[in-house]
Amino acid sequence: MSVGREEVQRIAALARIQLDDEAASRLDVELTGILAHVDALMEVDVAEVDGGLTLPPPLPHGPESGTVFRQVGLEADPLAPEAPADRAPEWSEGFFLVPRLPAVDGGSVDGGGA
């Protein structure tokens, strides 16, 4: 099976690649060679090949596998030596507390806007 320079140029245009005549000729030869290899592989008779492919057992996952994961903890930020709670206006049980938005409670948002 031959590809042809016109087909190479069409594929290059679809991929938005500009090819000069030399590159198109080179790719025509390379693609034709690849397709010749594929044609040769298609002619191989595999009817006698044992289809009983054995796969390895699946990898264990999850806590039942006994896999121990590294504990990830928060490390101190060298640029901000104080704890986040020290900088928070309101803090509770490891979380920043922020006021609810009026729009969330069904109220109107000040300042207009769309």
Side-chain angles (χ1 to χ4, degrees), residues 67-86:
T67 304
V68 178
F69 293 99
R70 177 177 65 93
Q71 293 294 326
V72 178
L74 296 176
E75 298 177 8
D77 184 356
L79 300 177
E82 67 273 359
D86 297 340

Side-chain angles (χ1 to χ4, degrees), residues 4-66:
R5 288 184 58 212
E6 294 81 24
E7 186 71 12
V8 170
Q9 289 290 359
R10 187 182 74 79
I11 294 168
L14 288 172
R16 298 182 182 186
I17 300 172
Q18 292 181 350
L19 296 177
D20 58 11
D21 289 337
E22 181 183 331
S25 297
R26 187 178 71 250
L27 285 173
D28 175 21
V29 172
E30 290 178 11
L31 290 173
T32 300
I34 291 169
L35 292 176
H37 286 292
V38 171
D39 287 340
L41 289 173
M42 296 298 289
E43 294 175 7
V44 175
D45 182 19
V46 293
E48 299 294 322
V49 177
D50 181 19
L53 197 62
T54 57
L55 298 174
L59 295 174
H61 296 293
E64 65 276 357
S65 68

Side-chain angles (χ1 to χ4, degrees), residues 90-107:
E90 292 187 59
W91 181 267
S92 176
E93 299 179 15
F95 294 96
F96 291 99
L97 298 179
V98 295
R100 289 184 60 87
L101 296 173
V104 171
D105 293 329

